[in-house]
Amino acid sequence: MRIGDFKETYAADEAVFRTGTVRLWLGLLGLALAVFPFVAGEYLIYMANITGVAVVGAVGLNVLTGFTGQISLGHAAFMGVGAYTSAILTTRLGLPFLLTLPLSGVVAALCGLIVGAPSMRMKGLYLCIATLAAQVILDFTFVHWESMTHGIRGINLPPPSIFGLSLAGGQAFYFVIVTLAALAVTACRNIFRTRVGRAFIAIRDRDISAELMGINLFRYKLYAFGVSSFLAGMAGCLLANLLKVVTPEHFPLQLSIQYLAMIIVGGLGSILGSIFGAIFMTVVPEILRSSLGLLQGLDPQIMRYLFPLQTVIFGLLIVVFLVFEPHGLAEMWRRLKAYFRLWPFEY
Amino acid sequence: MTLLAVDNLTLAFGGLNVLSQVSFTVEPGQIFAIIGPNGAGKTSILNCIGGFYRAQQGRIFFDDQDITNISPDRRAAMGLARTFQNIALFRGMTVLDNIKLGRHAHLKTGLLSSLLYWGAAQREEMELRREVEESIIDFLEIEHIRNQPVASLAYGLQKRVELARALAMRPKVLLMDEPVAGMNAEETEDMARFILDIKEERDVTIVMIEHDMNMIMDISDQVVVVNFGQKIAEGNPRQVQSHPEVVKAYLGEKRER
């Protein structure tokens, strides 16, 4: 139960983590994340790595779609741009991982700015179709710009290393991903503590009055596209270095839609929601797969029916979630916290 | 010295003439009212001044500068603030964030420093919070709702938050579109008091559209009457009230038998 939560300075009132209890839990979470790779098996670490990449990508998309209201169907393509940038820079120029990581973000951000330029004139579904076009064009480029991307064969990457320290194993790379995910989440949360983030939300809620409040719409929409595709590019670079291979099949339209699903299930316009959504969309299908796999012992033939069933159950889960909690997992979490704030009393 | 001047403003949407050759000037420190029947073009005048509409003809001068071709966001930065008839708050934000947003054009934090939220960016936010609390939230008596999402507030309070947001813009001229529409007598009195205080304590000039004739007669210094997009009368409230054209526009003509 939380009582006596009074603030004496504006700085304390503006803090993100406002009470000692919250900071304690956050510390415990950090500790758990640090210990995790030493106790978990290879498979779990791999899952954690994939989830971490999804978190970076989902936070990026949420800045653009959830907070600024610009629906994007090209997020996977920007990840692809980042992944190919890092692969090409690594294999051709031999640049170290620490350099390719920000560079892949920058290249993806430039693509994002170009794709975002029509947002001056278009909004809503029309912009959505424009970003879909970007997805298709970039997809096409990945396949057919053979001299650069090696087409459908893709590019193999050597294991990354930082200052001579090899990150070949999933365990070592885990720390890179977790650190980057934490940085990305923190940076995005910070945006929304300043005028930049307020401008984003204002554009989403009412763009006409936002402009009359002194916000340069075009500039801030481009900022949102830039931040979003920068993070997508970094996520793509992480994915490339994790899988050690890049092919066009890693970044289909379906992945863009999956990222949209992540932020919708997690909570549009919520940083925490992007994390929840990324975890949900990555981990739940795996849980379904392994739990349905247990039934395989009963009858080997059964997998023929169970395999498509996974997808059906997963789809149903999303629908049920959205019906009962349209504001996503973040809103569920908020209500849960509100309940325990007074627990064990009713009010 | 004139603070705001509208000169020969003409606005048409296709074949529909919304405004034809409207001119008036607003002196600093005035409460300047624009009245007229529904559809007369009052809001269109404010939209032209704010920059949301581009007039086909005519010029607008603000603070000795020709702002006719300046974009709306830059006009806001120059000191033109606006409240809307049908409230245009940002529904996804709390009251506090809505008000802070009003200061946007006067803040400096860029994209990169906002990512870090360190040093200057943090100091600027703290300074903003202090100012908003002390000079706006206290003044408008909305301390109790500062952390609520605006969507959950009652209509009268939303109007007040919108005024707070406009004040955060550090306006020289405040354009108010029907500040007391749909309010009860008590809320109307509160709003009239706030408007007078804003004018007197903060040197803000007020241009407002209003249908509440009692309030217009009580607080405004200068009144312009428009009908069918044309200015039909101008003067102090007394003069306007007895002007034959105004009586005709509001009450109709006496039928000749």
Side-chain angles (χ1 to χ4, degrees):
Chain A
M1 189 176 166
R2 193 170 82 177
I3 49 171
D5 174 28
F6 301 114
K7 299 285 181 282
E8 290 182 346
T9 63
Y10 292 130
D13 199 43
E14 296 268 328
V16 175
F17 305 109
R18 296 161 49 97
T19 61
T21 326
V22 175
R23 284 189 284 270
L24 177 72
W25 281 111
L26 196 73
L28 287 178
L29 175 69
L31 198 67
L33 284 175
V35 171
F36 175 78
F38 299 107
V39 292
E42 201 151 314
Y43 171 69
L44 280 183
I45 293 176
Y46 173 77
M47 280 313 297
N49 283 345
I50 291 286
T51 311
V53 171
V55 167
V56 177
V59 169
L61 184 61
N62 218 339
V63 169
L64 180 66
T65 301
F67 284 99
T68 319
Q70 316 293 310
I71 305 169
S72 168
L73 274 177
H75 206 61
F78 296 135
M79 288 181 73
V81 170
Y84 273 104
T85 307
S86 89
I88 290 165
L89 289 179
T90 310
T91 52
R92 305 227 170 162
L93 301 177
L95 291 187
F97 173 68
L98 270 188
L99 215 58
T100 60
L101 183 63
L103 280 178
S104 27
V106 169
V107 174
L110 289 178
C111 287
L113 292 183
I114 295 168
V115 174
S119 69
M120 186 58 199
R121 291 270 162 204
M122 294 187 280
K123 46 187 175 182
L125 289 174
Y126 300 92
L127 182 67
C128 184
I129 296 300
T131 57
L132 175 64
Q135 165 81 37
V136 174
I137 292 168
L138 286 170
D139 229 358
F140 184 86
T141 314
F142 297 155
V143 177
H144 292 279
W145 195 7
E146 293 250 356
S147 59
M148 259 324 197
T149 64
H150 295 253
I152 49 169
R153 279 170 297 134
I155 306 174
N156 289 306
L157 278 87
S161 66
I162 294 179
F163 299 128
L165 193 72
S166 171
L167 302 171
Q171 198 184 36
F173 205 57
Y174 168 88
F175 287 103
V176 176
I177 290 181
V178 166
T179 312
L180 202 79
L183 283 177
V185 168
T186 312
C188 287
R189 183 66 187 84
N190 280 342
I191 293 181
F192 296 98
R193 302 169 77 187
T194 67
R195 74 168 191 150
V196 180
R198 287 193 293 269
F200 285 172
I201 301 176
I203 290 172
R204 174 194 71 190
D205 284 354
R206 229 174 246 271
D207 51 355
I208 291 169
S209 73
E211 195 176 18
L212 291 174
M213 293 293 124
I215 294 166
N216 184 332
L217 293 187
F218 190 48
R219 168 183 300 180
Y220 279 90
K221 281 180 185 175
L222 283 189
Y223 278 180
F225 269 99
V227 170
S228 163
S229 43
F230 182 82
L231 288 175
M234 295 234 280
C237 171
L238 288 178
L239 192 67
N241 282 284
L242 180 68
L243 305 174
K244 301 198 184 57
V245 63
V246 188
T247 70
E249 281 141 49
H250 286 122
F251 311 101
L253 175 63
Q254 200 194 344
L255 186 67
S256 285
I257 295 170
Q258 208 173 337
Y259 271 98
L260 273 180
M262 278 181 205
I263 61 171
I264 292 170
V265 168
L268 284 170
S270 159
I271 298 286
L272 189 63
S274 340
I275 303 176
F276 285 151
I279 295 174
F280 182 88
M281 293 293 286
T282 325
V283 174
V284 170
E286 282 297 308
I287 292 176
L288 279 179
R289 201 169 60 89
S290 48
S291 53
L292 288 177
L294 294 178
L295 297 174
Q296 201 176 6
L298 302 177
D299 175 8
Q301 284 292 310
I302 207 167
M303 273 326 267
R304 261 178 46 208
Y305 306 103
L306 286 185
F307 190 67
L309 197 61
Q310 280 172 43
T311 326
V312 175
I313 294 178
F314 186 52
L316 267 181
L317 264 179
I318 293 177
V319 172
V320 168
F321 254 122
L322 292 182
V323 168
F324 288 103
E325 189 48 270
H327 297 292
L329 295 166
E331 179 66 15
M332 266 182 173
W333 173 249
R334 199 191 60 74
R335 277 202 268 118
L336 189 75
K337 276 198 308 187
Y339 173 76
F340 277 105
R341 195 160 291 156
L342 292 173
W343 189 84
F345 303 109
E346 286 275 322
Y347 43 82
Chain B
M1 195 201 98
T2 304
L3 185 57
L4 180 71
V6 172
D7 183 28
N8 256 327
L9 207 60
T10 299
L11 175 73
F13 295 131
L16 179 70
N17 282 318
V18 181
L19 296 173
S20 35
Q21 301 185 325
V22 175
S23 305
F24 57 81
T25 59
V26 181
E27 306 301 320
Q30 274 187 334
I31 292 183
F32 188 96
I34 302 174
I35 63 172
N38 285 327
K42 305 182 294 295
T43 301
S44 297
I45 295 177
L46 284 204
N47 282 341
C48 287
I49 299 175
F52 178 48
Y53 290 162
R54 282 281 164 87
Q56 275 85 7
Q57 276 175 40
R59 315 208 69 80
I60 300 164
F61 298 90
F62 173 57
D63 226 5
D64 295 331
Q65 244 184 299
D66 186 346
I67 60 166
T68 317
N69 293 317
I70 286 181
S71 68
D73 57 299
R74 290 198 24 233
R75 292 187 200 197
M78 290 171 68
L80 270 176
R82 168 83 189 263
T83 70
F84 298 84
Q85 179 179 5
N86 41 359
I87 301 163
L89 288 166
F90 304 109
R91 300 175 66 82
M93 285 193 250
T94 62
V95 169
L96 194 56
D97 277 344
N98 263 284
I99 302 172
K100 282 178 178 174
L101 185 114
R103 188 57 60 86
H104 183 88
H106 298 285
L107 301 178
K108 292 193 179 61
T109 305
L111 178 63
L112 290 181
S113 46
S114 81
L115 292 168
L116 295 174
Y117 194 68
W118 197 266
Q122 196 176 11
R123 277 197 302 278
E124 188 178 74
E125 281 300 311
M126 287 309 130
E127 177 60 24
L128 170 64
R129 173 77 192 267
R130 196 182 59 75
E131 250 187 85
V132 163
E133 290 281 352
E134 288 170 6
S135 77
I136 296 171
I137 292 187
D138 276 3
F139 170 67
L140 291 174
E141 297 158 19
I142 45 178
E143 299 90 342
H144 56 297
I145 51 164
R146 61 161 84 86
N147 285 323
Q148 289 184 26
V150 289
S152 68
L153 297 177
Y155 178 80
L157 279 177
Q158 290 197 14
K159 280 267 188 197
R160 214 185 284 180
V161 174
E162 211 186 15
L163 177 59
R165 185 180 65 179
L167 282 184
M169 297 172 72
R170 288 200 187 126
K172 292 188 186 122
V173 171
L174 180 55
L175 309 168
M176 305 183 85
D177 198 346
E178 303 206 17
V180 301
M183 287 188 173
N184 65 26
E186 194 191 335
E187 287 170 327
T188 305
E189 260 174 48
D190 279 346
M191 189 56 90
R193 179 167 55 87
F194 287 133
I195 293 173
L196 285 172
D197 283 352
I198 290 167
K199 173 194 145 187
E200 271 152 32
E201 291 172 17
R202 296 167 189 246
D203 292 328
V204 176
T205 305
I206 286 157
V207 176
M208 69 173 176
I209 294 173
E210 193 41 71
H211 281 297
D212 187 322
M213 282 306 147
N214 292 329
M215 184 165 120
I216 297 280
M217 294 304 147
D218 280 351
I219 69 171
S220 58
D221 304 308
Q222 183 82 354
V223 181
V224 153
V225 189
V226 283
N227 194 18
F228 295 115
Q230 281 170 324
K231 185 170 94 171
I232 57 173
E234 180 168 6
N236 66 37
R238 286 288 134 241
Q239 294 167 336
V240 162
Q241 206 169 18
S242 51
H243 196 287
E245 283 289 321
V246 178
V247 176
K248 199 168 98 184
Y250 271 87
L251 299 177
E253 273 176 285
K254 204 177 199 176
R255 199 160 57 170
E256 301 290 335
R257 289 200 173 244

